[in-house]
């Protein structure tokens, strides 16, 4: 699948020190240091193309873009892979509801997502892989799981035995009751007759009448969602057998912790014998005007709608960065206005030849980002710098600060 255009990122002077980045790991429930390496492997779950790109999506991809930018600024290579679930039940249900062809719906939404990511200045993944194009990888992964005796069938559908992974549950920390409830809410089928365990997850769905299917050694059908990500991540991130973990970061919104990330990690563990991700990093949910933002409430706010009303994508990006990525947070007009005021002031002072000192500020910004992407502190520091500049402080380098904000925050001013 075609990704979106590369984003130019300025380089940062080598006089600045980049500490190792710390991130909240949902699996250990602690903030942990990501050890310094030359090459990182990051997999971030992509969208199912039927409601793109709402602000929750934007917040997630911008957060992982900050991690990508930070690691690159440390002079590390970042192998970054993202999928797109271009076949799944929610896509077919939406196409049927709206009376449109599912492929046309998917293609139009994928195009919209690409243009939104470009507008938001998000660095593209090296590999952007669709579920349909990944079917050969998925069937291969299912075979590996069959070899590990982790697969059984109900009619022609294939299921993964979750308890083949002795660490099942260790990344999501939920009670069995909560697992069952959330599994049912998020596309699982705990009550299906014939299942060995209610949480066993579908890896291959045999073709149903009036639904698409693809030929495979497992019969005509389509892949399950969790195995799609497991197969794509392990192929395109090329794990290094000398490392303890297959990949460094598994990322996505916090609604993916269970079942999605638990299942993908379990399938990776059972098929390879190794631990999947060193860190499971999750972004908070974005609400709207005090309410949860969701498709069922019909209050999703879309990036393209905001842009079409004349809002600059950089203002949207700034507004989403003003609060820390891991928090559940609210979107409202006031936030957007504050971001606009802030960006106007920042642009004004960066365009002047004299400004308050910037060297210590830049180092402090780097340190705040290294501390679990503390963007709130970054804005606090920048607001102080604006105030100092307003009262006449001099000695800074506005060009260098501008390049740093572009490189690390993706704020092109
Ligand atoms: Zn995924």
């Amino acid at each position: 699948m075609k990704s979106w255009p590369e984003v130019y990122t300025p380089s940062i002077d080598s006089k600045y020190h980049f500490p190792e980045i710390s991130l909240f790991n949902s699996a250990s429930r602690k903030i942990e240091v990501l050890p310094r390496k030359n090459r990182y492997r990051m997999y971030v779950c992509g969208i199912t193309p039927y409601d793109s790109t709402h602000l929750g999506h934007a917040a997630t991809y911008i957060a992982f873009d900050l991690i990508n930018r930070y690691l690159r600024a440390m002079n590390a290579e970042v192998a970054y892979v993202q999928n797109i679930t271009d076949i799944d039940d929610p896509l077919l249900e939406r196409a049927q509801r709206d009376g449109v062809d599912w492929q046309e719906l998917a293609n139009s939404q994928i195009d919209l997502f690409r243009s939104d990511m470009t507008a938001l200045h998000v660095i593209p993944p090296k590999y952007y892989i669709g579920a349909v194009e990944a079917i050969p990888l998925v069937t291969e992964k299912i075979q590996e799981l069959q070899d590990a005796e982790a697969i059984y069938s109900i009619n022609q559908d294939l299921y993964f035995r979750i308890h083949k992974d002795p660490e099942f549950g260790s990344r999501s920390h939920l009670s069995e009751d909560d697992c069952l409830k959330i599994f049912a809410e998020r596309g699982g089928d705990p009550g299906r007759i014939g299942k060995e365990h209610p949480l066993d997850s579908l890896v291959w769905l045999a073709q149903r009448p009036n639904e698409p299917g693809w030929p495979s050694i497992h019969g005509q059908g389509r892949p399950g969602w969790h195995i799609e990500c497991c197969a794509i991540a392990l192929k395109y991130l090329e794990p290094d057998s000398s490392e303890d973990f297959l990949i460094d970061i598994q990322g996505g919104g916090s609604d993916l912790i269970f079942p999605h990330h638990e299942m993908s990690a379990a399938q990776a563990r059972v098929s390879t014998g190794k631990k999947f991700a060193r860190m499971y990093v999750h972004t908070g949910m974005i609400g709207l005007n005090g309410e949860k933002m969701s498709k069922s409430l019909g209050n999703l706010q879309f990036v393209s709608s905001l842009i079409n009303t004349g809002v600059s994508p950089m203002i949207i990006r700034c507004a989403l960065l003003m609060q820390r990525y891991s928090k559940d947070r609210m979107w409202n007009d006031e936030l957007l206005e504050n971001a606009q005021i802030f960006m106007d002031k920042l642009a004004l002072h960066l365009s002047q030849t004299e400004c308050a000192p910037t060297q210590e500020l830049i180092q402090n910004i780097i340190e705040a980002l290294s501390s679990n992407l503390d963007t709130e502190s970054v804005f606090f520091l920048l607001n102080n710098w604006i105030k100092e500049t307003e009262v006449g402080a001099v000695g800074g380098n506005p060009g260098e600060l501008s390049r740093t904000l572009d490189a690390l925050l993706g704020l092109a001013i």
Side-chain angles (χ1 to χ4, degrees), residues 43 45 83 225 229 260:
Y43 186 85
C45 291
N83 70 310
W225 175 34
C229 283
H260 187 52

XYZ file of all heavy atoms in Angstrom, residues 43 45 83 225 229 260, ligand 1:
57
model
N 5.813 -0.475 15.745
C 4.596 -0.845 15.016
C 3.421 -0.117 15.649
O 3.182 -0.237 16.855
C 4.366 -2.359 15.101
C 3.203 -2.820 14.254
C 3.389 -3.106 12.907
C 1.929 -2.946 14.789
C 2.325 -3.500 12.108
C 0.862 -3.343 14.000
C 1.072 -3.629 12.662
O 0.016 -4.014 11.876
N -0.706 0.452 15.258
C -1.889 -0.065 14.569
C -2.598 1.049 13.811
O -2.824 2.138 14.348
C -2.833 -0.700 15.586
S -2.123 -2.208 16.242
N -0.240 -0.629 9.766
C -1.145 -1.404 8.901
C -2.384 -0.586 8.590
O -2.601 0.489 9.151
C -1.572 -2.697 9.608
C -2.485 -2.409 10.771
O -2.185 -1.581 11.616
N -3.626 -3.081 10.807
N -8.430 -9.877 12.667
C -7.748 -8.585 12.844
C -6.419 -8.728 13.607
O -5.398 -8.161 13.211
C -8.729 -7.667 13.577
C -8.224 -6.327 13.974
C -7.326 -5.551 13.294
C -8.617 -5.585 15.137
N -7.148 -4.356 13.965
C -7.919 -4.351 15.087
C -9.490 -5.825 16.194
C -8.077 -3.379 16.083
C -9.646 -4.852 17.161
C -8.949 -3.649 17.108
N -2.091 -7.908 12.349
C -1.035 -7.036 12.880
C 0.203 -7.833 13.279
O 1.329 -7.415 13.036
C -1.564 -6.229 14.062
S -2.591 -4.855 13.500
N -7.015 -6.441 21.345
C -6.162 -6.448 20.154
C -4.680 -6.682 20.463
O -4.063 -7.602 19.914
C -6.385 -5.161 19.369
C -5.678 -5.144 18.060
N -5.797 -6.162 17.135
C -4.804 -4.253 17.513
C -5.050 -5.879 16.083
N -4.443 -4.745 16.289
Zn -3.112 -3.744 15.206
